[in-house]
């Protein structure tokens, strides 16, 4: 860009906010060779998954911030707790604001064994105002099949509070949700079945891509010295376990995870309109395109004034003060719009040029979306 054109750009874009776009990667650099990564960083073996657990429990010890005494579910839950200790208390007789019914959730990891502990999240299921200071009573954690896999219990950790008195309320964060680190003990272990009936395992890519799947299969065959892997689709690579390792496959899985490969990456431009952030790779290219972006500002101001009657010596029923509204419309338009001709550039070059000319981030986002709509941006535009 020559000096005269740059000067026109700076004149046309003067007065705008400083650009807040952050370009990660090599801004303005040419396409670079992808660094090899481990296969374990691209996905996981089929069957490796976590299992959701949920339970219904009671939190006690609250300082008057629990469920209302008229809450029937809280009354019934507390009466059920008393019945476990040979105490017969009718639900109608339960009157307490120090108790809250809650839902308890947790994730049971793969290969969890009896005696392991997992973190739990406790959320209010009634009208409690705060769970600060509460303790969760013994709660069975069930899976979707109805079987109990863990037991949760312990004091809650709540990252907030709520106090109110005489109509005044002081609250921080969300006090009706808490957690118990290592609050659930696994009672029934789980095992993941990785091997199918043909004694094969399947590696599943986190992001489906035919090129990457083919490269992973070729890398496994090349680095393990045998034709063991074959890409079945864009996500799955089927791997045969050698006969000598089928009895003890852990070492074979470890070798697969540490195979290095150069994955193929899709061109993406990520835009966060809430924070004004633009993230793109340095080699995402755009076709020849001309961009013109102007700025038109319109402000409408209304002023109310009181008009007093003049030269009136005696007030009458028809004489009074009048309110007059004066409206002014101001239009501020730049003399010339900003213009740039992009020829075989990258998105990084374009954003860097716009940032140097002090184009604000909102305008950069609008320009990128317009370039994508014009068909000149050959990348996936992700708007968050």
């Amino acid at each position: 860009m020559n000096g005269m054109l740059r000067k026109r750009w700076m004149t046309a874009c003067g007065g705008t906010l400083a650009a807040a776009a952050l370009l990660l990667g090599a801004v303005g650099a040419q396409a670079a060779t992808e660094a090899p990564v481990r296969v374990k960083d691209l996905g996981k073996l089929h069957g490796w998954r976590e299992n959701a657990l949920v339970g219904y429990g009671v939190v006690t010890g609250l300082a008057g911030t629990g469920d209302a005494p008229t809450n029937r579910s809280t009354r019934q839950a507390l009466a059920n707790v008393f019945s476990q200790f040979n105490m017969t208390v009718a639900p109608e007789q339960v009157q307490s604001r120090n108790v809250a019914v809650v839902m308890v959730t947790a994730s049971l990891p793969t290969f969890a064994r009896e005696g392991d502990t997992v973190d739990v999240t406790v959320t209010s299921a009634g009208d409690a105002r705060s769970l600060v200071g509460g303790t969760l009573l013994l709660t069975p954690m069930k899976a979707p099949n109805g079987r109990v896999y863990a037991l949760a219990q312990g004091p809650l950790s709540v990252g907030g509070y709520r106090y109110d008195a005489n109509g005044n309320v002081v609250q921080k964060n969300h006090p009706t949700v808490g957690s118990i680190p290592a609050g659930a003990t696994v009672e029934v272990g789980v095992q993941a079945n990785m091997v199918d009936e043909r004694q094969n395992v399947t590696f599943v890519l986190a992001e489906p891509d035919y090129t990457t799947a083919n490269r992973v299969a070729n890398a496994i065959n090349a680095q393990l010295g045998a034709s063991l892997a074959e890409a079945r689709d864009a996500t799955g690579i089927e791997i045969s376990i050698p006969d000598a390792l089928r009895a003890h496959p852990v070492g074979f899985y470890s070798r697969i995870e540490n195979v290095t490969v150069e994955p193929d990456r899709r061109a993406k431009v990520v835009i966060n309109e809430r924070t004004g952030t633009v993230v793109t790779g340095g080699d995402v290219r755009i076709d020849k395109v001309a961009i013109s972006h102007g700025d038109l500002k319109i402000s409408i101001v209304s002023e109310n004034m009181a008009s007093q009657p003049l030269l009136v010596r005696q007030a009458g029923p028809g004489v009074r003060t009048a309110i007059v509204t004066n409206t002014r419309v101001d239009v501020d338009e730049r003399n010339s719009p900003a213009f740039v001709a992009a020829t075989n550039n990258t998105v990084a070059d374009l954003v860097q040029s716009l940032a140097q000319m002090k184009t604000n981030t909102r305008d950069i986002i609008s320009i990128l979306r317009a370039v994508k709509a014009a068909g000149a941006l050959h990348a996936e535009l992700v708007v968050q």
Side-chain angles (χ1 to χ4, degrees):
M1 183 180 295
N2 56 41
M4 182 174 294
L5 182 57
R6 183 181 296 275
K7 184 177 180 180
R8 290 183 59 191
W9 266 88
M10 296 299 292
T11 302
C13 297
T16 59
L17 298 176
L22 299 178
L23 231 62
L24 302 183
V27 178
Q30 298 298 324
T33 304
E34 294 288 350
V37 299
R38 296 178 303 175
V39 167
K40 69 183 302 181
D41 298 326
L42 298 177
K44 59 184 179 180
L45 292 175
H46 179 68
W48 188 284
R49 52 162 293 176
E50 292 189 347
N51 304 275
L53 301 179
V54 66
Y56 180 83
V58 176
V59 171
T60 60
L62 304 177
T65 60
D67 294 337
T70 57
N71 194 315
R72 297 182 61 183
S73 60
T74 307
R75 288 179 171 183
Q76 185 64 57
L78 197 57
N80 294 342
V81 172
F82 290 153
S83 67
Q84 302 298 319
F85 301 95
N86 300 323
M87 296 178 60
T88 303
V89 179
E92 295 78 11
Q93 297 177 340
V94 176
Q95 299 288 333
S96 176
R97 290 229 49 159
N98 299 335
V99 181
V101 293
V102 294
M103 301 300 298
V104 187
T105 58
S107 293
L108 191 64
T110 311
F111 300 110
R113 301 179 182 274
E114 297 180 8
D116 292 348
T117 57
V118 295
D119 299 339
V120 299
T121 301
V122 181
T123 59
S124 173
D127 56 354
R129 293 170 295 178
S130 175
L131 298 180
V132 174
T135 299
L136 176 69
L137 299 184
L138 189 63
T139 303
M141 306 288 294
K142 296 183 179 181
N145 59 5
R147 187 176 180 182
V148 176
Y149 283 86
L151 297 176
Q153 181 174 276
L156 271 67
S157 174
V158 181
Y161 55 80
R162 175 190 169 97
Y163 301 103
D164 58 276
N166 300 325
N168 299 318
V169 179
V170 178
Q171 179 173 333
K172 178 182 178 181
N173 296 336
H174 207 71
T176 54
V177 177
S179 62
I180 307 177
T185 302
V186 178
E187 299 296 328
V188 179
V190 294
Q191 294 290 330
N193 186 15
M194 304 289 187
V195 185
D196 60 15
E197 63 276 2
R198 296 182 298 172
Q199 297 300 310
N200 296 334
V201 294
T202 301
F203 185 82
V204 182
L205 295 176
E207 296 185 2
D209 187 88
Y210 284 107
T211 303
T212 300
N214 186 58
R215 290 182 181 179
V216 170
N218 294 336
I220 292 175
N221 293 332
Q223 298 182 35
L224 296 186
S227 299
L228 303 176
E230 181 181 358
R232 293 298 184 182
D233 49 40
T235 59
I237 299 95
E238 191 174 272
I239 307 170
S240 299
I241 303 177
D243 296 339
L245 299 177
R246 289 180 179 178
H248 306 283
V250 176
F252 180 67
Y253 296 157
S254 175
R255 295 178 62 186
I256 293 176
E257 290 182 338
N258 288 278
V259 170
T260 57
V261 64
E262 295 182 2
D264 187 64
R265 304 189 184 278
R266 293 184 178 180
K268 289 185 179 182
V269 178
V270 181
I271 295 174
N272 192 318
E273 291 189 309
R274 296 186 301 273
T275 61
T277 304
V278 180
V279 181
T280 178
D283 56 348
V284 179
R285 309 192 67 84
I286 57 177
D287 290 339
K288 297 180 179 180
V289 62
I291 302 169
S292 178
H293 185 73
D295 189 8
L296 177 64
K297 297 181 180 179
I298 301 176
S299 60
I300 302 176
V301 180
S302 297
E303 298 179 353
N304 296 323
M305 300 179 59
S307 177
Q308 299 288 349
L310 301 177
L311 302 178
V312 178
R313 296 182 179 179
Q314 185 176 2
V319 180
R320 64 183 181 274
T321 301
I323 303 299
V324 179
T325 301
N326 297 322
T327 302
R328 184 179 73 254
V329 179
D330 297 330
V331 180
D332 181 15
E333 185 176 11
R334 295 175 179 174
N335 295 329
S336 59
F339 175 82
V340 63
T343 306
N344 296 328
N345 289 333
T346 64
V347 175
D349 295 332
L350 176 61
V351 176
Q352 186 180 35
S353 299
L354 295 175
Q356 290 176 352
M357 289 175 287
K358 301 187 183 302
T359 305
N360 64 66
T361 310
R362 305 299 176 185
D363 290 341
I364 292 177
I365 293 175
S366 300
I367 291 173
L368 289 176
R369 298 184 70 170
V371 172
K372 174 65 176 178
L377 176 61
H378 299 292
E380 182 181 357
L381 193 62
V382 180
V383 181
Q384 296 180 342

